[in-house]
Amino acid sequence: MTKYVLVTILLCGLVTWLSRVVPFAVIKNLTVPKWLINFLSFVPVAIMTAIFVESLLTYHAGQWPGFNLENITASIPAILAGVLTKSLLAVVITGVIAMALLRLVGWG
Amino acid sequence: MNAELTFKSGFKDVVPTLFGYIGVGLAMGIVANTSHLSVLAVLLMSLIVYAGSAQFIIISMLLAGSPISAIVLSTFLINSRMILMSMSIAQYFKKDSLLQNIALGSLLTDETFALSMNKINRTDHQLRPRWLHAANILAYLVWAAATVVGCLLGNLIADPNQFGLDFAVVGMFIGLLYLQIITDRSKTLKTQLLVVLFVAIAMFFLMRFFPGNIALLIATLLGCGFGMAVSPHD
């Protein structure tokens, strides 16, 4: 491992760690105003939606995003599994099997 | 998932998310291997940086010989959503010591954050450090192991994606989002669905101008503001 790789890993680790822990230290020592609690209460649903939708789109610099058709297709049975079972594990396994099948038949 | 907040139940609750770590971790190890990174470098990166999408970017930038400052800035931008998640979850640990808070924050991920937000809907909005530590530590070890195994197997498996494992992460967020919507009783179903719709549309427009990771951060911030605006005031 070269020094270039090692220094990169250490510095990237440091900025990531700070992003993770500084908010904890700040919130611990701060009376959080009510509007901020209200604002932050939407983080879960907003960020999970954003992460999901990001996986359905493909970024092309300077153009409108494209659609990731294989992820969109595999999402349908996964969502159905969620509605039917309300089980996280069932959703994950259904989605993975759906994707494996898609690629097996050559649609992926 | 039940209302228990023991160390053991943390282990149990995190299991469904492990498929995602294994799928992405193997893929990352294989990519690292083909990018001529050593097993030691992969292990150190997984233990020190510990961030899925950022690690892919770091590897590709290292391969391209990018300046360290550019790699660090990219990593910060991709992971800056951690700031929002940490701020959001930290409220549940205000009574715990600073050391506990730092330890919890150090290993927080998208997945264990989302899992915690599902959990509080079943525990009357309580979390305990031991429960999150258990989930965090198991996820951390599985991630490190998966990336190392991926790197070691790099030459044997040409295409790990043929087994569909790369979809495990997407599937997990589908499950977590769905469970979040149906179990979060602090907001009306209508408010939540409006936020989902708003963020989805915002992502499409933002990705015209920004790569996914940046669009994700802006869409989340806009979505939170939108949620505040449309939720019924009391």
Side-chain angles (χ1 to χ4, degrees):
Chain A
M1 188 171 34
T2 61
K3 197 177 146 206
Y4 168 59
V5 172
L6 184 64
V7 172
T8 302
I9 290 174
L10 290 175
L11 289 177
C12 289
L14 180 68
V15 292
T16 306
W17 184 69
L18 289 175
S19 304
R20 283 179 163 128
V21 302
V22 169
F24 271 87
V26 170
I27 295 285
K28 165 128 186 81
N29 297 305
L30 191 92
T31 314
V32 189
K34 219 176 157 204
W35 67 264
L36 186 58
I37 292 181
N38 192 7
F39 182 87
L40 292 173
S41 75
F42 288 97
V43 168
V45 69
I47 210 162
M48 286 183 222
T49 304
I51 292 173
F52 173 45
V53 173
E54 187 198 357
S55 72
L56 304 183
L57 299 173
T58 50
Y59 172 73
H60 307 286
Q63 294 173 41
W64 288 100
F67 293 99
N68 184 330
L69 290 178
E70 65 173 356
N71 275 359
I72 292 173
T73 312
S75 294
I76 297 166
I79 293 169
L80 279 176
V83 175
L84 291 174
T85 65
K86 298 190 179 19
S87 150
L88 190 54
L89 197 57
V91 177
V92 173
I93 291 173
T94 306
V96 168
I97 292 173
M99 184 57 94
L101 288 175
L102 276 178
R103 289 187 180 139
L104 192 68
V105 298
W107 289 353
Chain B
M1 206 188 290
N2 54 29
E4 246 180 72
L5 282 164
T6 56
F7 195 78
K8 207 175 140 193
S9 67
F11 269 144
K12 263 200 292 196
D13 290 340
V14 82
V15 166
T17 73
L18 297 179
F19 290 88
Y21 290 99
I22 294 169
V24 180
L26 285 175
M28 209 216 76
I30 291 167
V31 171
N33 178 278
T34 56
S35 306
H36 315 296
L37 276 186
S38 65
V39 175
L40 180 65
V42 169
L43 178 64
L44 280 181
M45 194 186 292
S46 294
L47 293 177
I48 295 172
V49 184
Y50 187 41
S53 44
Q55 284 182 230
F56 277 101
I57 304 288
I58 295 170
I59 291 170
S60 64
M61 290 182 87
L62 281 175
L63 189 67
S66 306
I68 293 177
S69 56
I71 307 180
V72 173
L73 182 65
S74 301
T75 302
F76 174 73
L77 287 176
I78 292 167
N79 289 335
S80 52
R81 65 172 186 273
M82 295 306 310
I83 298 171
L84 275 177
M85 287 190 267
S86 286
M87 271 178 88
S88 204
I89 198 174
Q91 299 167 59
Y92 299 94
F93 300 103
K94 273 183 85 108
K95 290 197 188 89
D96 298 294
S97 71
L98 184 63
L99 199 67
Q100 280 280 22
N101 274 268
I102 288 173
L104 289 167
S106 296
L107 295 184
L108 189 71
T109 63
D110 293 357
E111 287 84 352
T112 57
F113 167 76
L115 192 70
S116 304
M117 295 299 109
N118 270 204
K119 187 75 176 180
I120 58 172
N121 295 323
R122 293 163 202 273
T123 60
D124 199 19
H125 283 252
Q126 302 291 312
L127 286 174
R128 292 271 177 280
R130 61 186 178 212
W131 177 86
L132 185 54
H133 279 316
N136 275 347
I137 291 167
L138 190 55
Y140 183 60
L141 295 177
V142 167
W143 171 253
T147 56
V148 165
V149 170
C151 192
L152 291 170
L153 293 180
N155 302 321
L156 302 176
I157 308 171
D159 182 15
N161 291 352
Q162 64 176 301
F163 306 111
L165 267 174
D166 56 318
F167 191 77
V169 172
V170 182
M172 193 194 57
F173 279 106
I174 291 174
L176 288 169
L177 175 62
Y178 177 72
L179 294 173
Q180 179 66 26
I181 293 170
I182 60 166
T183 55
D184 183 357
R185 300 209 171 76
S186 71
K187 302 187 186 344
T188 63
L189 188 62
K190 188 182 155 203
T191 303
Q192 299 213 66
L193 290 178
L194 280 173
V195 173
V196 169
L197 195 65
F198 176 89
V199 172
I201 295 170
M203 277 300 286
F204 183 79
F205 282 94
L206 287 164
M207 278 180 70
R208 170 73 176 75
F209 306 101
F210 306 99
N213 280 301
I214 307 297
L216 187 155
L217 187 69
I218 304 172
T220 301
L221 288 168
L222 292 175
C224 293
F226 175 83
M228 277 174 89
V230 297
S231 58
H233 296 282
D234 50 8

